Structure formats: structure tokens, C-alpha cells
Amino acid sequence: MTIDHPTCLLYLLTAGREKELVLRVHGTELTTEHLTTWMTEETVHALTVSRFGDDETSTLLLNFRHVVGARLAPYSETRTGSF
């Protein structure tokens, strides 16, 4: 089970997809500067994440080369949205 609360919500829109992926990020304080650098440099990063409805975290490797849009939001149990 997840012990730590999510630090933020990460909304990702990837190439070839019409809808974004919404992830709860744990243990890392992300900033828009992180996302900008990762997308500009097209790097791969490991994040500890969980999905809505899951109580467990997992490590997700994200290839920011394929991310065409990203935004951060404060964590909320009820927050949803789309680009």
C-alpha cells in the first residue's frame, strides 16, 4: 500500500493520443522547469506514480521525447480534467 500521499497530479499528453494520462506523483516535488528540461532534452525519467483507484505505487519510466504537453496540478482526490 502507498504510505506517502501524492505530491501532485501530472497530466501528460503524448504523441498520437487524443486524451491525456493523469498520474498521481509520489515522493518528488515536480516543477514546470523539470518538465520543460526533460521535454527539451527528450530524456527518460523514472517517477513513482499511482493511478486513481489504486492504493499502490509503481515506478514508471517516462520517455519525454513523446510528450507533447504536460501540466502539473496540486493533488486532489476529486480533481480531473483534460487538455
Side-chain angles (χ1 to χ4, degrees):
M1 286 210 132
T2 299
I3 296 173
D4 60 331
H5 293 286
T7 55
C8 65
L9 295 176
L10 175 58
Y11 294 78
L12 295 174
L13 184 61
T14 57
R17 303 284 180 174
E18 292 182 17
K19 294 189 178 186
E20 77 279 355
L21 175 64
V22 182
L23 299 168
R24 298 184 295 182
V25 178
H26 297 260
T28 303
E29 291 290 336
L30 291 181
T31 65
T32 54
E33 289 78 20
H34 287 121
L35 298 176
T36 300
T37 300
W38 297 345
M39 290 170 69
T40 302
E41 295 176 356
E42 299 179 345
T43 56
V44 174
H45 284 275
L47 295 174
T48 302
V49 299
S50 63
R51 294 178 13 160
F52 288 101
D54 284 345
D55 290 330
E56 295 184 21
T57 60
S58 59
T59 301
L60 178 66
L61 291 175
L62 288 169
N63 184 346
F64 280 85
R65 178 180 185 181
H66 302 289
V67 175
V68 295
R71 65 184 170 110
L72 296 169
Y75 173 72
S76 170
E77 284 286 338
T78 59
R79 181 169 293 197
T80 59
S82 61
F83 285 99

